[in-house]
Amino acid sequence: MCSHQSSCPSADRTERAHRDDAHIVSAHPEQGWYLLCDGAIVFDDTGALLPDGSVVAPHRVPAGQLTIAA
């Protein structure tokens, strides 16, 4: 499904670092989601749907850690 020289990373890994190794095969930035070569769908809010139907919750930054623009 993609052009990885070795096999695609497995989508059953929930660590973000492993999902970041997958390539985007279909981008829909206007809708806020991307289909990866491993079958996962990732969203702009950092959440994801894995091919087995499981959900990876968004990784939100606590409000106290956000920088306020001047």
Side-chain angles (χ1 to χ4, degrees), residues 1 19-20 22-26 34-42:
M1 187 193 239
R19 286 196 318 273
D20 289 345
H23 295 174
I24 295 172
V25 295
S26 182
Y34 302 84
L35 174 64
L36 303 181
C37 63
D38 61 4
I41 298 172
V42 294

Side-chain angles (χ1 to χ4, degrees), residues 8-62:
C8 292
S10 174
D12 62 356
R13 296 180 178 172
T14 57
E15 298 90 25
R16 183 175 172 90
H18 294 291
R19 286 196 318 273
D20 289 345
D21 291 338
H23 295 174
I24 295 172
V25 295
S26 182
H28 297 276
E30 72 283 356
Q31 297 176 352
W33 63 275
Y34 302 84
L35 174 64
L36 303 181
C37 63
D38 61 4
I41 298 172
V42 294
F43 297 95
D44 285 347
D45 69 356
T46 69
L49 291 174
L50 302 181
D52 66 359
S54 59
V55 175
V56 176
H59 306 290
R60 304 202 186 268
V61 176

